[in-house]
Amino acid sequence: MLISRQYSNVEGEQLRICFIGDSFVQGIGDPKYRGWVGRVLEATGGGITAFNLGIRRNTSEDVLRRCRQEILVRSVPDADNRLVISCGSNDTLEEDGKIRVDPSDSLHNLAAILDQCRHSGIAPLVVGPPPVIDAGDDHLLRTSSLAGEMETLCFSRGVPFIGTTLKLARDRVWIEEVRAGDGAHPGSGGYRRMADLILSDCWHQWIAHPCGQM
């Protein structure tokens, strides 16, 4: 269940959140066009200017390539500027006999995005990559391993990380909706489950007390 709470920030500050990543950020498959991003925002309360910058099939390389330009034009001096990063599921897909992005490169890309946040005074939060059910057990193993390394990287930098991979891989609603759809993306129920995972983790704490800026 999504519980909305009114957002209150430091007096005079405007909270602006960019969500950047892949098709799961974009909310592909949701007939209500809300995805997990819309549901998380609904439960967070008012007073937020939000931008969904998810693009289907984007890897961490794609996100890094466009991140700086897309985030800075949506940031405002003296505002409380935030960035939610979620990618990696496409990195670990196998195409033409090779993995799209080597895990070490995925971590380098994420580190570079976090560096950009630090230099720009933007507080980041990372949401781990969801599973692609029809991609099989090998993909799940690669994705969960990458998620673990992402979490370690974030921990070392004081950046909050919310894991989703294995929890959603075992979630009945997520699995059933993905299999009834395109094999990768859930419907409204699955995105609601993902939003619940995020909201029950450190989301509200991050909203109230951002970290990872230094």
Side-chain angles (χ1 to χ4, degrees), residues 7-23:
Y7 171 74
S8 59
N9 195 9
V10 177
E11 185 176 356
E13 284 193 338
Q14 178 188 9
L15 178 58
R16 301 170 72 87
I17 307 177
C18 291
F19 296 80
I20 196 165
D22 51 27
S23 56

Side-chain angles (χ1 to χ4, degrees), residues 53-70:
L53 306 175
I55 295 180
R56 193 168 193 168
R57 284 186 54 80
N58 260 200
T59 65
S60 61
E61 289 180 348
D62 299 315
V63 172
L64 174 60
R65 188 177 301 115
R66 62 189 177 91
C67 185
R68 181 176 176 80
Q69 180 179 357
E70 293 195 16

Side-chain angles (χ1 to χ4, degrees), residues 84-105:
V84 178
I85 308 123
S86 185
C87 56
S89 300
N90 288 312
D91 292 40
T92 53
L93 286 174
E94 183 176 349
E95 290 186 347
D96 300 322
K98 62 179 296 185
I99 307 305
R100 290 189 68 189
V101 182
D102 185 86
S104 62
D105 291 331

Side-chain angles (χ1 to χ4, degrees), residues 31-54:
K32 296 184 178 180
Y33 301 99
R34 293 167 63 203
W36 64 264
V37 172
R39 289 173 171 82
V40 164
L41 288 168
E42 178 186 17
T44 305
I48 299 174
T49 300
F51 306 90
N52 190 320
L53 306 175

